[in-house]
Amino acid sequence: MAKSQVGEESALGCQTTLKKQHSIQVAKSICSKAKPYAVVKDIAANNKDSSDDLFSTEKLDGCRNGNTLDLHGKGIKKLQKFEKLPGMKTLDLSCNSIEEIEYLDNHNEITELKLYGNNIRKIKNLDRLQELQVLQLQFNNITSLRKGLLKLRKLQRLRLDSNRLICMESRELSGLSQLASLDISHNQLTDITAVNMLPCLEELFASSNRLCGVIDLSKCNKLQELDLSNNKISEVRGLSLLETLTSVNLSGNVLHCTECLGSLCSLQELNLADNQLKSVSSFAQQFPNLEVLNVVKNDIDVREGLKSLTRCFHLVELNLIGNIAETSEEDETMHLMEVSYLMPQLEYLDGVPLNPSNSENQNSQVIQKTGLANASLESTQKIVSCLMDFESQMEDLQQSLAERFSQVKNLMASLPQKLPFKPSHTASTKLTSVPGYGSRPQTSCRSRSRIEEARSFAAQHFEK
């Protein structure tokens, strides 16, 4: 599940609007390396309309579009009391210079309130907005929640990212019984245990904070998407109890292994990039339905990792770059070929499509490289097949030779070591010379006597 975009304009959009319409320079930090909050300079003096004129009924009607009152980027520094507009469901006060939330008590029919990109420091005066479902307070200067959200029983989506939050206590969230999505990323939080008080929470985004050590989320029973990236987390507990969890982002932390995650049978997307992992051998057993895996910039042996990941039969996207592997072009091609062979269901490897026929507008170089890899793969498979046949024939020959040698050995062992009889003719052999043929032996034994001796020997030793 992708992160929900509840704001219609981003902080960058605020800058464009204010520059074009009011010549106001807006400086916002949306990079994790910069300050995690927005500073909106107040240059509202050049506005053509004063605040009082802006909140007149006539002006408000001009800013209304259906059930939405759009006061985005109007250079408002202070809210004024204005009449209730029937049917108004969305109030957009984003990208102004508002410092305090006030004069909204009588607008109790509002379901969505946009206050992002202002200078708000404290959440207050929202208690009467009993129908409020979406509240956007990102890019402000809020340091704590206190009692500002306790009465918002129907609130479902809350954005507090890019503020100055230092702590968040359980009692401050106790009234948000229907909250499904919470974004508290880009703050200064060191503990988020309080989120266990949210029984309906489905999405939690807490990246780029100061979280470290062990994080426990065992009571977030309905959690589906979790982002704890860019912290100093070494262990996350309780995830194995979350049966609906489908997406986890733990990139940019200090995890050494994944045993703490337990078995996540419903997990489909896992991002563990930029950690300290050394092995992925347990992934097939821990995450049997994994489809997207990112483990770039770890200490994993790529070839050993591939052997383990071949059992992840649902994996379609894999990112392994930045681990222990050969980097030559030839090794890259062989690596691509090996992955294609071992994981035929894989569609993307390190951002490169492995099956261009299923993608549109692919780079010709990638297609050519993949074609060469497939041709090489086919040749390699033929060679491997021939080698296997030759090896099988050698084994058969070796076994046949061994059997024959055994038969000869047994035969030799069965022969007598000494003659069982003495020859009947003991007279010395006389040699006579035959002209033209040399000498030939002469014996006193007759042919009949030699035949009889042979028969006697055969009867004694070969007949049973």
Side-chain angles (χ1 to χ4, degrees):
M1 180 187 298
K3 182 175 179 180
S4 302
Q5 301 295 330
V6 294
E8 295 180 358
E9 288 91 5
S10 62
L12 185 60
C14 296
Q15 298 177 17
T16 305
T17 303
L18 293 176
K19 284 180 180 179
K20 289 183 177 180
Q21 296 182 0
H22 308 287
S23 299
I24 298 175
Q25 296 181 351
V26 180
K28 292 187 179 294
S29 169
I30 55 174
C31 178
S32 59
K33 296 182 180 179
K35 294 182 180 179
Y37 54 89
V39 178
V40 183
K41 292 184 178 181
D42 179 21
I43 316 179
N46 295 328
N47 284 352
K48 295 181 180 180
D49 299 319
S50 66
S51 297
D52 292 337
D53 291 339
L54 182 61
F55 286 97
S56 65
T57 303
E58 182 179 352
K59 292 290 184 181
L60 292 178
D61 286 339
C63 296
R64 184 168 179 175
N65 182 12
N67 59 2
T68 299
L69 180 59
D70 186 2
L71 298 176
H72 169 87
K74 298 295 184 180
I76 301 171
K77 182 177 180 181
K78 184 178 178 63
L79 290 176
Q80 301 292 328
K81 189 173 183 178
F82 59 98
E83 294 184 5
K84 181 177 180 180
L85 300 178
M88 184 178 67
K89 298 295 183 181
T90 301
L91 175 58
D92 189 350
L93 292 166
S94 59
C95 294
N96 286 287
S97 302
I98 300 170
E99 296 183 358
E100 291 189 13
I101 304 174
E102 52 189 345
Y103 301 117
L104 298 178
D105 295 348
N106 62 331
H107 303 283
N108 51 12
E109 295 182 358
I110 294 177
T111 59
E112 183 175 1
L113 177 60
K114 301 178 182 180
L115 284 166
Y116 61 86
N118 284 285
N119 292 327
I120 299 170
R121 297 177 180 273
K122 184 178 179 180
I123 303 175
K124 62 179 183 178
N125 299 325
L126 297 176
D127 294 350
R128 294 192 179 182
L129 304 183
Q130 298 295 313
E131 301 298 322
L132 195 62
Q133 298 178 11
V134 179
L135 177 59
Q136 299 185 43
L137 288 167
Q138 66 270 28
F139 292 103
N140 279 285
N141 299 320
I142 302 170
T143 57
S144 62
L145 303 182
R146 298 186 181 182
K147 299 180 180 180
L149 303 172
L150 289 179
K151 302 294 184 180
L152 305 180
R153 305 288 182 183
K154 294 185 178 181
L155 193 65
Q156 298 178 11
R157 295 184 176 275
L158 173 61
R159 288 195 61 176
L160 289 166
D161 49 296
S162 300
N163 276 280
R164 294 181 176 181
L165 288 174
I166 299 174
C167 64
M168 188 170 57
E169 300 181 6
S170 300
R171 56 188 175 86
E172 296 173 340
L173 301 177
S174 59
L176 305 179
S177 57
Q178 296 187 29
L179 192 66
S181 178
L182 174 62
D183 191 341
I184 48 176
S185 55
H186 293 280
N187 280 284
Q188 303 171 31
L189 296 169
T190 58
D191 184 19
I192 58 170
T193 307
V195 300
N196 285 289
M197 293 293 298
L198 305 172
C200 294
L201 191 63
E202 297 178 358
E203 301 174 354
L204 174 60
F205 308 102
S207 63
S208 301
N209 277 279
R210 297 179 180 177
L211 305 176
C212 59
V214 180
I215 303 297
D216 188 354
L217 299 173
S218 56
K219 295 183 180 179
C220 298
N221 299 323
K222 295 186 178 181
L223 198 63
Q224 299 178 14
E225 184 173 357
L226 174 64
D227 186 353
L228 296 175
S229 59
N230 299 319
N231 286 284
K232 297 296 180 182
I233 299 170
S234 60
E235 184 177 347
V236 182
R237 295 178 181 173
L239 296 190
S240 59
L241 302 175
L242 311 182
E243 298 179 355
T244 58
L245 194 60
T246 58
S247 177
V248 173
N249 187 349
L250 288 168
S251 60
N253 282 284
V254 291
L255 294 172
H256 290 85
C257 64
T258 59
E259 293 180 0
C260 61
L261 303 182
S263 178
L264 302 176
C265 296
S266 59
L267 192 66
Q268 299 176 2
E269 183 174 352
L270 178 60
N271 190 341
L272 293 171
D274 198 12
N275 275 276
Q276 300 173 17
L277 301 177
K278 297 184 180 299
S279 174
V280 293
S281 58
S282 62
F283 281 26
Q285 184 176 0
Q286 283 185 276
F287 321 119
N289 293 307
L290 196 62
E291 297 180 3
V292 179
L293 175 62
N294 188 345
V295 287
V296 305
K297 295 183 180 179
N298 280 278
D299 298 323
I300 303 167
D301 187 303
V302 173
R303 297 197 178 277
E304 291 298 324
L306 283 174
K307 292 179 181 179
S308 303
L309 294 175
T310 54
R311 292 174 293 165
C312 294
F313 303 113
H314 300 282
L315 197 63
V316 295
E317 183 174 340
L318 175 61
N319 293 282
L320 280 169
I321 196 170
N323 284 281
I324 303 173
E326 300 293 337
T327 56
S328 66
E329 185 175 352
E330 181 180 356
D331 288 329
E332 266 187 41
T333 303
M334 292 301 296
H335 175 58
L336 185 66
M337 180 179 63
E338 185 178 8
V339 173
S340 300
Y341 177 71
L342 294 176
M343 308 175 72
Q345 84 284 0
L346 200 64
E347 297 179 5
Y348 291 90
L349 175 64
D350 294 330
V352 178
L354 297 181
N355 190 359
S357 60
N358 295 335
S359 327
E360 294 181 1
N361 300 323
Q362 298 298 335
N363 187 285
S364 59
Q365 184 178 359
V366 174
I367 295 176
Q368 182 179 6
K369 187 175 181 180
T370 307
L372 291 174
N374 291 334
S376 300
L377 177 60
E378 185 177 354
S379 301
T380 303
Q381 289 175 338
K382 291 181 179 179
I383 294 174
V384 170
S385 178
C386 292
L387 289 175
M388 291 180 64
D389 291 341
F390 178 74
E391 185 178 356
S392 178
Q393 293 175 5
M394 291 296 293
E395 290 179 356
D396 293 342
L397 178 59
Q398 184 178 2
Q399 184 178 0
S400 177
L401 290 175
E403 290 177 355
R404 293 182 182 182
F405 178 77
S406 178
Q407 292 175 358
V408 173
K409 184 178 180 181
N410 293 335
L411 179 61
M412 293 296 294
S414 67
L415 294 177
Q417 296 182 356
K418 296 182 179 180
L419 290 175
F421 63 92
K422 292 183 179 180
S424 60
H425 52 284
T426 57
S428 60
T429 303
K430 297 181 180 180
L431 297 177
T432 58
S433 177
V434 179
Y437 291 96
S439 61
R440 62 188 180 99
Q442 297 292 327
T443 177
S444 60
C445 292
R446 296 177 302 173
S447 297
R448 183 174 294 179
S449 63
R450 285 183 293 177
I451 293 173
E452 291 298 330
E453 290 175 357
R455 287 178 177 175
S456 175
F457 177 79
Q460 183 179 355
H461 294 283
F462 297 101
E463 292 183 5
K464 296 183 179 180

